[in-house]
Amino acid sequence: MAKVQLSDYFQDYKKYLNRMEESGEYAANTVKKREGCVREFTQYCREENLVIDTEEFYDSVDLIRDFFDQTSIHGTK
């Protein structure tokens, strides 16, 4: 069984946002809003010590990515 510490995901997500900004797919404003949202969420996860228990590590990563991709913050997805 794999345990995924949600707060550890932030740096990877931040790198993803930077790649999306560099490619022109996300505007700098969108990146900042999403980064702020994810930072707050992962900080909360760290404070609450939230983890996902799963048999497949990559399934949990997909669930986290899906959560962030579906989260809308201030009109940005």
Side-chain angles (χ1 to χ4, degrees):
M1 180 173 301
K3 284 191 175 185
V4 177
Q5 189 76 24
L6 294 176
S7 60
D8 293 341
Y9 188 69
F10 177 68
Q11 291 304 318
D12 289 337
Y13 190 71
K14 189 173 175 180
K15 289 176 188 174
Y16 164 78
L17 288 175
N18 288 335
R19 285 194 310 269
M20 296 302 279
E21 182 179 3
E22 289 171 3
S23 73
E25 200 158 335
Y26 288 168
N29 187 25
T30 300
V31 168
K32 287 181 182 180
K33 287 179 182 178
R34 293 185 109 191
E35 185 178 317
C37 169
V38 173
R39 180 183 292 113
E40 289 180 25
F41 176 73
T42 54
Q43 182 177 347
Y44 170 79
C45 291
R46 185 174 28 259
E47 290 169 359
E48 297 296 321
N49 198 30
L50 296 177
V51 296
I52 294 176
D53 289 331
T54 182
E55 296 296 322
E56 293 292 328
F57 173 78
Y58 291 105
D59 288 347
S60 61
V61 173
D62 288 341
L63 289 171
I64 296 166
R65 184 174 293 118
D66 290 347
F67 171 82
F68 289 139
D69 286 344
Q70 294 174 19
T71 301
S72 180
I73 301 299
H74 304 294
T76 64
K77 190 170 180 190

